[in-house]
Amino acid sequence: MFSISPPLKRFSYFTLYIFARLLKVLQFTLITVLLLTGISAKGQQVLPGDSTSDAARTGMQLLRLRITAIQKQLENIGNDTTAVKLMNELAKAYINFSYDSSLLYSSKARELSTRISYPQGLVTAILQKGYAEEVVKNNRDTAIVYYQQAIEAAKKNKLNGMLDDLYSIIHNSYVYKGNFPLAMTIANEGLEAAKKRDDRRQMLHYTSLIAAAYFRQGLNEQALAEYRKGETIAGNLGEYEKASHNLVTIADIYYGFGDVYNSMGDTSAALRYLEKAYNKFRELDSDKTFWKKYMVANTLYMMGVVNKTAGNLPKALQYVRQTLDFCKNGNCNLYEKAAYYLQAGDLLRLLGKYDEAGKQLYYGKKIAEEIKHAENKRDAYYYLSLYYSDLKKFDSAWQYNKQYALLKDSIINERTRFRTEEINAIYGIAEKDSKIAWQNNLRNILIASFLFLLLTLGLLYSRNRLRQRNRYQQELNHQQNELFNAISLAQEQERKRIAQDIHDSLGSVLSAAKLKMVELKDELPELNMDEKFLSGIGLLDEASSELRNISYNIMPATLTKLGLVPALKNLTNKISTYKGLQVAFIAHEFEIRLNEQNELSIYRIILELINNVVKHAGATKATIQLVKYTGYINITVEDNGKGFDVQKAHNERKGIGLGSVAARVEYLKGTLDIDSAPGKGTIIIIDIPSGN
């Protein structure tokens, strides 16, 4: 016999519990009335049997007043934890009026919480976003993403108290979608955490959730086993642990026993446990902190279902009608109300009251489809297929039966069962034969050890090869650096010798020749009128000047005698005399000279870069900046010229002399960065470690 799945009865427990902390008692009461009666800012139609529209409108008006008061309070405080709490409270309240405003305040709360390092506010703000997606947009996939982010933030900041609430919320979302394996994963994760801290209250809660997930997948024996574990945990609770919410969970467990025994056909046991659950809920009903009043109706409903299974249809219909009457006070959730209408419709069908049966079935179907509740939709399609079959409308019956079969397969299929068994193995829920388990473990250990040995040997071999390759590369780099150093040193020594020889020998000869010609002019005054003679003296002056320039370019005397900074100042002053180019030179922190080799290398680098500016850039202004920092020397050369394509110049490796500059920088273990583009000028930045 087909067994109708019970309405989702555990969804609201921790969901409402956490949000009750966030809002004051008045706001919590108003929002609960609105959500549980199916009325929202969108103006949903009030369903048959509801009589709370006036109360809802009054509640909305009071809630708007509360929002105004919070906003005024928010204007008068700074950016602190109180502001975060108020923003989160506004995000919660705005769900009933404006989805965008709700997201705005939750985003502000999240940003401020991050800025002031307030993890509780951050977790609540993320949770509010998920709640808005789920309640307003009915978008549980997006909501689950936010819930997961909230869980990660709570884990990171070790907010164990909030984690239990978050586990319950995301668990309920998975159950709503009919994804029981993931719901069980979350419940098991929470159970393991509760065991580690010996929190029997939460152990009881999570065990109840796991048992319910088993039952919804038709795994009755596993469900009974978990409910018995919960009963044992409940029996071990101390007096201080028996708070009202724990007694609610105990009543839930009795209710679960009734569910399972009814599904197994043991109606007497089912009614016995449901009677215990009903008495427990009625006992709690007088407690002002007891908010789970819908479970009174739910238990009445299940007693009707069990009587239906036992064949006592009038008694069953009586219980279900009592349930619907109880819902008129706004004490039922929409997914529960859908189940009640569906059950009433099927009982009326069995009693032959088809007109009223059809109305009740369509009311239930409408709610189930609006809230996207997988189990309720499945049951609605099943009951409607039976309804139309009784009316001999077989086309409609076949269509609904087809929808029922597809949805049933999507909820309980082989993949779901496989995933459930995998979870059993992970968390030790399913018990296996100890000898087989030991043999399998031993085999797995041997295989894993062998694979680990192979992996270790492979890693050692790869590491040795890599070490050899690195050693070879280091040696090669060292040799290249030594070779470059030797070549550079030899070049600079040869330049210095050639410059000295030119200055001492050829310079002396030219000076002597000019002196002789001047003496000759003094002896023969008529030569003062000889243009050729005067031109010869001018050429000797020009040759002497050019000789000095050549000698300076080969090895500047200023660099050798006075150091790098005076040599660069002299260089830029000479270049600035050229028509159309002005070179500015700036140097900082160079009171102490560098070693000769470094000064020569830096001078050659800057000289090559300035030559590039003169020859290729077409610039009117250039700036050279030389700064000594702690640990390194910075060289910056900038011009306003025509620029060039850096990638193209790098690929061609020719033309503007960057190759020699890069080689010298690499030898000095520095870095070279070029920022240029056609028409944008050029900036070259070089950093050289001062230890070199």
Side-chain angles (χ1 to χ4, degrees):
M1 177 182 292
F2 172 77
S3 175
I4 178 69
S5 64
L8 183 60
K9 54 187 176 293
R10 294 174 176 81
F11 175 79
S12 299
Y13 178 64
F14 273 91
T15 308
L16 295 177
Y17 183 67
I18 185 173
F19 289 116
R21 296 181 189 175
L22 300 176
L23 301 179
K24 295 184 178 179
V25 175
L26 174 61
Q27 183 183 357
F28 167 73
T29 304
L30 294 173
I31 293 176
T32 303
V33 168
L34 297 175
L35 294 178
L36 296 184
T37 56
I39 299 173
S40 72
K42 296 181 179 179
Q44 286 181 301
Q45 181 181 359
V46 179
L47 295 168
D50 289 333
S51 60
T52 56
S53 57
D54 292 337
R57 281 192 292 270
T58 302
M60 296 293 277
Q61 292 171 357
L62 292 175
L63 189 54
R64 286 184 183 276
L65 293 175
R66 175 63 181 156
I67 287 174
T68 303
I70 296 173
Q71 288 174 330
K72 289 182 179 179
Q73 186 180 357
L74 190 59
E75 292 173 357
N76 299 321
I77 61 174
N79 293 329
D80 55 14
T81 58
T82 302
V84 173
K85 293 175 182 177
L86 291 175
M87 289 175 184
N88 279 325
E89 192 171 349
L90 283 171
K92 172 66 178 176
Y94 262 119
I95 287 176
N96 299 278
F97 303 104
S98 172
Y99 168 80
D100 292 334
S101 296
S102 178
L103 288 188
L104 173 65
Y105 279 107
S106 59
S107 297
K108 286 183 176 181
R110 183 172 184 175
E111 187 274 332
L112 181 57
S113 297
T114 303
R115 184 147 44 93
I116 65 174
S117 299
Y118 179 37
Q120 291 88 344
L122 173 64
V123 172
T124 305
I126 299 171
L127 185 62
Q128 292 286 15
K129 284 193 172 185
Y131 192 56
E133 290 291 338
E134 186 164 20
V135 172
V136 181
K137 296 294 186 180
N138 206 12
N139 189 349
R140 290 191 177 83
D141 291 329
T142 304
I144 286 171
V145 172
Y146 283 122
Y147 295 156
Q148 289 171 335
Q149 291 178 5
I151 287 174
E152 292 305 314
K155 285 182 178 178
K156 180 179 178 181
N157 293 283
K158 299 180 180 179
L159 302 175
N160 294 327
M162 298 187 78
L163 267 177
D164 287 322
D165 299 334
L166 293 169
Y167 283 143
S168 297
I169 291 169
I170 195 171
H171 166 273
N172 292 331
S173 295
Y174 282 131
V175 170
Y176 228 128
K177 288 170 60 64
N179 193 337
F180 298 112
L182 282 178
M184 289 183 66
T185 300
I186 292 295
N188 274 295
E189 188 174 341
L191 178 61
E192 291 302 309
K195 286 180 179 178
K196 288 180 180 178
R197 59 180 189 269
D198 194 27
D199 188 341
R200 287 176 290 186
R201 180 174 66 87
Q202 292 298 336
M203 288 166 59
L204 177 64
H205 169 64
Y206 289 120
T207 302
S208 174
L209 296 182
I210 294 168
Y214 274 127
F215 173 66
R216 284 183 171 80
Q217 296 171 89
L219 303 174
N220 293 327
E221 293 297 335
Q222 290 92 325
L224 280 177
E226 292 300 318
Y227 279 131
R228 290 189 184 107
K229 289 180 184 178
E231 199 172 24
T232 301
I233 296 171
N236 292 328
L237 290 176
E239 288 300 321
Y240 72 98
E241 294 174 308
K242 290 183 179 179
S244 62
H245 48 269
N246 293 330
L247 296 178
V248 170
T249 306
I250 295 170
D252 279 344
I253 289 174
Y254 292 151
Y255 182 99
F257 273 119
D259 257 350
V260 178
Y261 280 122
N262 177 60
S263 177
M264 298 173 70
D266 190 345
T267 56
S268 61
L271 287 171
R272 185 172 66 253
Y273 274 104
L274 287 171
E275 189 70 28
K276 292 174 69 174
Y278 181 77
N279 292 334
K280 182 65 69 175
F281 285 128
R282 293 298 295 178
E283 176 187 339
L284 289 165
D285 195 28
S286 59
D287 187 343
K288 292 182 179 180
T289 64
F290 176 60
W291 46 265
K292 211 171 182 181
K293 298 181 183 296
Y294 64 90
M295 283 305 298
V296 177
N298 224 353
T299 309
L300 285 171
Y301 162 79
M302 274 306 301
M303 293 170 77
V305 172
V306 174
N307 276 282
K308 177 184 177 183
T309 304
N312 191 348
L313 300 183
K315 186 70 172 177
L317 184 60
Q318 178 185 343
Y319 277 121
V320 175
R321 287 191 187 278
Q322 283 182 277
T323 304
L324 288 171
D325 288 339
F326 189 84
C327 288
K328 291 180 180 179
N329 295 323
N331 291 320
C332 302
N333 294 313
L334 289 177
Y335 41 84
E336 295 162 344
K337 191 177 293 186
Y340 302 158
Y341 279 123
L342 292 172
Q343 192 63 245
D346 193 55
L347 286 168
L348 289 166
R349 175 190 68 84
L350 292 171
L351 291 170
K353 300 178 181 181
Y354 291 105
D355 290 341
E356 189 179 356
K359 292 179 182 179
Q360 300 293 315
L361 290 174
Y362 271 99
Y363 292 150
K365 171 178 170 291
K366 179 182 178 182
I367 298 174
E369 289 178 339
E370 285 179 352
I371 65 174
K372 299 179 182 179
H373 193 281
E375 291 176 283
N376 281 343
K377 288 197 298 182
R378 175 200 64 192
D379 299 337
Y381 299 149
Y382 177 76
Y383 287 144
L384 282 168
S385 70
L386 297 178
Y387 171 76
Y388 280 111
S389 178
D390 285 357
L391 294 177
K392 310 300 182 184
K393 296 181 179 181
F394 298 112
D395 288 343
S396 297
W398 181 81
Q399 287 293 340
Y400 278 114
N401 187 264
K402 181 180 178 181
Q403 292 183 64
Y404 157 73
L406 290 173
L407 193 54
K408 179 184 177 184
D409 289 342
S410 70
I411 296 175
I412 303 177
N413 53 32
E414 290 303 317
R415 184 173 62 181
T416 300
R417 291 178 181 275
F418 175 80
R419 178 62 179 151
T420 302
E421 293 303 321
E422 182 182 7
I423 294 171
N424 288 345
I426 293 173
Y427 291 98
I429 299 172
E431 296 182 0
K432 296 182 180 179
D433 182 81
S434 60
K435 184 176 180 180
I436 295 175
W438 182 84
Q439 291 174 345
N440 288 338
N441 289 337
L442 179 60
R443 180 193 62 192
N444 292 338
I445 290 171
L446 291 174
I447 293 173
S449 299
F450 179 73
L451 292 175
F452 178 78
L453 179 61
L454 288 179
L455 180 62
T456 303
L457 292 174
L459 289 174
L460 289 174
Y461 177 77
S462 299
R463 184 178 179 183
N464 186 55
R465 288 291 303 275
L466 182 61
R467 186 181 298 169
Q468 290 178 346
R469 190 180 299 114
N470 290 339
R471 190 183 301 118
Y472 172 78
Q473 187 63 44
Q474 290 173 358
E475 184 65 25
L476 180 62
N477 292 340
H478 178 71
Q479 291 177 0
Q480 288 177 343
N481 286 338
E482 290 296 324
L483 179 61
F484 184 87
N485 183 33
I487 292 172
S488 298
L489 186 60
Q491 286 178 342
E492 296 301 334
Q493 289 177 345
E494 187 63 13
R495 285 193 183 102
K496 188 174 182 180
R497 185 190 65 78
I498 292 172
Q500 190 70 33
D501 288 346
I502 290 173
H503 182 272
D504 292 344
S505 59
L506 187 56
S508 299
V509 172
L510 289 174
S511 297
K514 183 179 178 182
L515 287 172
K516 292 295 183 183
M517 292 187 73
V518 170
E519 288 177 2
L520 182 61
K521 184 181 71 170
D522 293 337
E523 292 175 359
L524 301 172
E526 62 270 22
L527 292 178
N528 288 323
M529 306 300 293
D530 191 332
E531 292 182 0
K532 293 182 179 179
F533 182 82
L534 294 176
S535 176
I537 292 176
L539 288 172
L540 283 174
D541 289 335
E542 186 176 343
S544 297
S545 177
E546 188 64 23
L547 181 65
R548 285 193 297 273
N549 287 336
I550 293 172
S551 176
Y552 184 89
N553 289 335
I554 294 174
M555 178 57 67
T558 310
L559 178 64
T560 306
K561 295 177 181 179
L562 300 179
L564 177 62
V565 173
L568 289 173
K569 285 182 180 179
N570 191 26
L571 173 66
T572 55
N573 289 336
K574 285 187 176 184
I575 294 173
S576 294
T577 61
Y578 288 8
K579 184 178 180 180
L581 177 62
Q582 291 297 319
V583 182
F585 174 70
I586 303 169
H588 293 290
E589 306 298 328
F590 275 86
E591 291 79 10
I592 301 175
R593 289 187 60 177
L594 306 176
N595 66 60
E596 183 179 0
Q597 187 62 30
N598 278 3
E599 287 189 338
L600 281 170
S601 296
I602 293 173
Y603 181 87
R604 295 297 178 195
I605 289 171
I606 295 176
L607 179 62
E608 184 62 39
L609 294 176
I610 290 299
N611 283 337
N612 287 339
V613 174
V614 173
K615 294 177 182 178
H616 305 289
T620 59
K621 292 182 181 180
T623 302
I624 303 170
Q625 182 171 281
L626 186 65
V627 183
K628 183 192 289 184
Y629 295 97
T630 302
Y632 71 98
I633 297 170
N634 172 260
I635 303 168
T636 303
V637 178
E638 181 178 2
D639 68 73
N640 64 348
K642 60 186 179 182
F644 62 94
D645 189 329
V646 178
Q647 189 60 44
K648 183 178 179 182
H650 175 74
N651 294 336
E652 292 180 353
R653 294 180 177 273
K654 63 180 182 180
I656 58 175
L658 290 177
S660 62
V661 172
R664 288 183 183 276
V665 172
E666 184 178 359
Y667 166 69
L668 294 173
K669 299 179 181 178
T671 59
L672 172 65
D673 184 31
I674 303 174
D675 183 12
S676 183
K680 298 292 181 63
T682 302
I683 300 176
I684 297 178
I685 300 174
I686 299 171
D687 290 327
I688 297 172
S690 58
N692 295 328

